[in-house]
Amino acid sequence: MLAGKTIVIAGASSGLGASLATQLSYHKTNLVLFSRNIDKLQSVAKTCEEKGAKTLVVRGDISKQEDCKRLYNETINNFNALHHLVLNAGISMWAKFEEITDLTLFQKLIETNYLGAVYLTHCCLPALIKSKGMITAISSIQGKIAVPEHTGYVASKHALTGFLNTLRMELADKGVDVMLVMPHWLRGTNLRKNAFDKDGNQIGESSKGHSKESISLEECSKKIIKGMISRKRELIIPGKLKILTWLNLFFPGLAEKIVMGKVKEQE
Ligand SMILES: NC(=O)c1ccc[n+]([C@@H]2O[C@H](COP(=O)([O-])OP(=O)(O)OC[C@H]3O[C@@H](n4cnc5c(N)ncnc54)[C@H](OP(=O)(O)O)[C@@H]3O)[C@@H](O)[C@H]2O)c1
């Protein structure tokens, strides 16, 4: 069902984006791989070609509107159509708000995680309407619930949730579906290493361990691809995390205590 479809993956050079690209290659897709690091993108593209995909690599920054437009133009010039847009590019932070010395990290988080998604979606929309395509956004469970030491990240992912839930309604009669993916912690990505610390520097190799409940990239990617095929509206990974979102609706104080305990476990 995905064979021959053209799929743009924004943020395809590492972690979940690279894993999704690899898994989508088995479906004989046309993949457009976009991010800032061209060497890493080319290495992902090589793996994808070996597994059966056709690939196009586009270097750019999602927070720059001109890069998003160039990505769109190169996609259409090469593959003549666009069927799936995967908004995966993202950056994070790990710092208590009262200790933060560099507030520009809030701007960077919003520009990449939220505004970048807005810019790229706006460029790609005409082609997605034409193909009755689909937008898949990798948000986070933090697009639904709050997590301490992540104020700017949580805010950017909540903004993404609000934007895409609204857009889904506007596109309902145009045949374009919108899926919000909300994963728990993922193992094996660069997100934590590249996250901003209180001074706006990258944390680097962190002493914070991953929770036992973190999920593998392969498992997460396979669930996302299933969701793309069945055109789901929301995907919480793992599914049992839905309990926390329900708890947050009806007993928010209890949900907060559970989340705070989980974050402490990782200190
Ligand atoms: N890791 C987790 O625990 C977790 C949990 C829930 C949700 N997520 C979400 O999953 C998505 C993927 O993250 P990941 O964990 O796989 O981290 P990752 O390994 O750091 O991947 C992030 C990707 O985003 C790209 N990117 C960052 N800034 C960009 C920009 N300005 N323009 C274009 N591309 C940019 C990076 O490529 P370049 O550096 O080459 O630009 C990279 O390909 C993110 O949206 C993240 O919020 C992660």
Side-chain angles (χ1 to χ4, degrees), residues 180-209:
L180 268 160
V181 182
M182 301 184 159
H184 190 23
W185 307 116
L186 299 169
R187 291 190 296 277
T189 87
N190 292 333
L191 196 73
R192 194 170 293 205
K193 190 173 78 182
N194 292 337
F196 297 118
D197 68 8
K198 67 183 175 54
D199 303 315
N201 301 315
Q202 289 179 333
I203 287 179
E205 293 305 335
S206 170
S207 56
K208 294 175 198 298

Side-chain angles (χ1 to χ4, degrees), residues 11-17 34-37 60-63 88-91 112 138-140 153 157 183-186 189-191 194:
S13 63
S14 69
L16 183 59
F34 174 78
S35 82
R36 297 163 302 177
N37 189 319
D61 182 334
I62 197 167
S63 69
N88 171 73
I91 50 174
T112 302
I138 313 303
S139 178
S140 161
Y153 181 76
K157 293 294 189 180
H184 190 23
W185 307 116
L186 299 169
T189 87
N190 292 333
L191 196 73
N194 292 337

Side-chain angles (χ1 to χ4, degrees), residues 104-118:
T104 62
L105 70 87
F106 281 82
Q107 191 180 338
K108 289 175 188 153
L109 286 161
I110 281 287
E111 281 174 355
T112 302
N113 297 356
Y114 170 57
L115 287 176
V118 172

Side-chain angles (χ1 to χ4, degrees), residues 6 16 21 30 38 48 55 57 63 70 88 95 111 115 120 123 131 161 179 191 194-195 237-238 240 243 249 257 265:
T6 299
L16 183 59
N30 303 325
I38 192 79
C48 293
T55 66
V57 164
S63 69
R70 185 168 42 78
N88 171 73
E111 281 174 355
L115 287 176
L120 189 54
C123 293
S131 67
T161 301
M179 174 167 74
L191 196 73
N194 292 337
I237 304 173
K240 66 178 182 189
I243 297 168
L249 278 180
K257 275 196 188 126
E265 264 175 32

